Structures are given as structure tokens and as C-alpha cells.
Amino acid sequence: MADPGRRFDDLFNLVHDPATLIMAWDRVAGNRGAVTAGSDGWTVARIEREVGVTRFLDDLRSLIKSGEFRPQPVRERKIPKPGGAGKVRRLGIPTVIDRVVQAALKLVLEPIFEADFQPVSYGFRPERRAHDAIAEIHQYGTNGYRWVLDADIEACFDRIDHAALMDRVRLRVKDKRVLRLVKAFLKAGILTELGEVEDTNTGTPQGGILSPLLANIALSVLDEHVQQPWQPGGSMSTQQRRKTRVQKGEPNWRIVRYADDFVVLVHGERAHVEGLHEKIIQVLAPIGLTLSEAKTQIVHMSEGFDFLGFHIQWKRKRGTQRWYVYTFVAKRPIRSIRDKIRALTPRTSQQELRNVLIRINQISRGWTNYFKHAVAKHTFSHLYWFTGWRIVHMMRTRHRWKWKDVRRWLVTPTGRWRPISADGIVLFNPAAEPITRYRYRGYKIPNPWTHTV
């Protein structure tokens, strides 16, 4: 698979192989979206109850094998964008049968394209996560790459050109039956919230199992272009060559991409970033994509920028003359979790405190676990204080308590404050979570399909 010139044929039999379909079903059934129905109204539970998994997969295999399988339009669901000021993101929810076929296609296609993907791409790839992208930015920012093209692709998942995408898929896949299946999913259409069916002439709807892989295939053209000098023999392929370029006043650059979010880090001057900006616009045009003028900016790392919920900034360490790259929690996710806690703790709420604490703890633990590698101790302490006061005010209103009643509830006989709890559920304290540095893994990130002896 690592041979970049090889095109794979006879993949169709792998797609409808019983073992592939069983694994695909398990992934679909184990997903949080299993309870959500597509445009046909069927859920995983209903199929298990009324049809049976064995019969369902046997019938599906026959449909695929005979060529009679046709994807159904995805059901549209609009969700508000975080901090989007009323803007919404359109999700496409496929039917369960389509999800299983997409999962089977992904099982077959992913190992092929993973061999080609650049190590600078981190989104929706096995063994990779957002923290790896942040660690890479931290690594290169520390080593002089301090001019940043902070880019935003406008409506990426909605505008990817189908012809350009299929051309990228054909570079590796020769089997026409598999190509027809992929194209059929791209052209399946959208069942809008108003009940109308819209054609999908561009894009790959967010929400489908196959969509992230197809988006990565399309956007790999950007990775390949920007990283071409880093390839063996390239002008930036060794540390010595990069050092020589800096001595000559020539720039080095590095892209870090997570799905459709990316930054380009430049060891050079602002003019070099401006030149790269124009080249990237030209690279994205053939696949139908453009950069948002409003959200794309060129910044120096000393000004700071937000990426994947983190705020990254090169700044002087307090009390010293030394400068370091720091990673903080950005303002938007702080506003977002505060809004969620507000929604769970309105003063007129009659929800049992135990249930409120369970839900708050779930949200806070997940949020804290994501940001525990940032400079976040103060932020975590503030979150605990904010949550505690929201609950106290809710309980005061509910029980018409005065402050002496609150003290009776939360202060021990020795005068110490006890944590808020109810029926054995204690309010989670984010500040108790240790802050740890996430180590940059670089080229050491394992690949599930690489066998070591």
C-alpha cells in the first residue's frame, strides 16, 4: 500500500465480504448516533428488534453484490455553530443501511490512503488527535516558526468539487464498482428539514462515516503542495538545509492541519507568509475551495492565535527575560462551557440536584480532560467557582434560603467549606486535575497498518 504508484483493483469483494459487513455493523451500532434515524426512519435498535442483524446483513450483502444498492438522501439537521452568532452547521444523517456500507468502504479504503497522507494532517485519522496538532505548533513555534497563516476554509464540506475528489480517489483505486459506490454517496442528495430533496452537486455532507476520509483525500493536495520541500531531496528535507536557508534569508514553512482547519507556520518574514497565502489560494481552487477573507489572518505568534479551542502565544515568562510558546484555553470554549452550565442551573429549575450534578460532572470532566495540557490551572479554578455559585443560587431560589441556610448546608462544624454533593454525587473540581504537558510525538505516531518485526 505504501507504493504511491500502485492502483488497487478487486476491492469490491472486500466491501461486501461478510466479515467486513459485520465489523461495519459493529462500528455503526456502537456509535453514539445509533439511536438517530435517517430519512427512512429506521434506527439500529429497530433493525435488531424487527429484522435481526443476520438477516439485515445478508440482504444488504445481496444488494451490494448485485449492484442494486442505492444510497438514500441524508436527513438534514441544522445545529448552531459554536460562537457563530446565529449561524448554523448543516449535518447530513445517513440511513443505517447507508452508514453500514460507508463504514465498510472506509474499512477497505482507509489503509490505502493512509499510506499517502502527510504526517502534518491530524484530523479524523487513526491514533491521531487535536493535541498532536497543538504539540507540533508548539514544537515549531519554539524553534523559530513564528509567523502564522491562520486560515479558514469557507464551507469546506459543502463545496468540495466531486470531479476533483474522484480524480484523487482514482489515483489509488482502480475498481470501477467501488468508484461508483463512492460517487453514489456523494450524489445521494439531502432531505431538508422542510421535507424537500436537494441535489448534492458539490461537497460531502458532515455526519457521514465516509465524509471525513473523503475530505482528507481532497485536502491532501494542500498538504502535498506545502510539504513538498520537506520530502527526501527537497530544499527543507534536512535540518542543515533548513538552517542554510535561514542564513540566506530564505523562509522555511510547515503546515499543521486538522480536517478543514489549518495553520502554516513560517520561519521568515511576513512577506513570505503573504506569498504562501496566494499560492494556497491557487492550490485550493481546483478542488472548489476558497479561504474565508474574514477569518483568515496573518499574525505573529507574539500576538497569539486560536486553534482547535486553544490560544497559542509566544510571550515573555513572568519575572524573566526569556520568551516561550504558551498554550492557553481560548475564550470561546470558556464561554461555551459557562453557557452549558447556565443552561443546567437556572434559578427556577426543579431538577433534582443529584441529576444536575451528574450532568455537570460529565461535561466538566470531558472539557477538563481536553484542556488539561494547557496553562489552565487558573481557568479550572474559575470554572469550579462559577459552577458552585450557579448551584448555590439555584438552591437558594428553590428553597428560599438565606445565606445562613447556605452556610448550614455547606460549612462543617469546624468552619471548613465542604464540596457540593447530593446522594453520593460530589461536584467535580476541575482544579484538582493535574496539568500535564502533552509531548510532541512527531513521526513516532503509530500507524495501525504498519507491522513491526
Side-chain angles (χ1 to χ4, degrees), residues 263-304:
V263 294
V264 180
L265 310 171
V266 177
H267 192 320
E269 303 295 336
R270 182 185 179 94
H272 298 138
V273 190
E274 292 170 348
L276 277 170
H277 183 195
E278 295 303 317
K279 289 181 181 177
I280 286 171
I281 291 174
Q282 296 169 14
V283 170
L284 291 175
I287 57 174
L289 300 178
T290 58
L291 296 181
S292 168
E293 292 186 9
K295 297 181 180 179
T296 299
Q297 59 176 344
I298 296 174
V299 296
H300 192 270
M301 204 170 277
S302 59
E303 302 171 57

Side-chain angles (χ1 to χ4, degrees), residues 17-76:
D17 185 274
T20 305
L21 292 177
I22 289 172
M23 188 177 294
W25 169 266
D26 288 343
R27 293 195 176 185
V28 171
N31 191 281
R32 286 184 303 175
V35 297
T36 306
S39 57
D40 61 356
W42 285 80
T43 63
V44 167
R46 184 181 172 191
I47 290 172
E48 291 174 336
R49 184 175 62 251
E50 299 183 19
V51 180
V53 176
T54 302
R55 180 184 166 191
F56 171 81
L57 293 181
D58 287 344
D59 292 346
L60 176 56
R61 182 169 187 261
S62 298
L63 280 174
I64 299 172
K65 195 173 180 180
S66 66
E68 297 175 46
F69 171 78
R70 295 290 184 275
Q72 298 298 308
V74 297
R75 182 166 69 87
E76 179 188 56

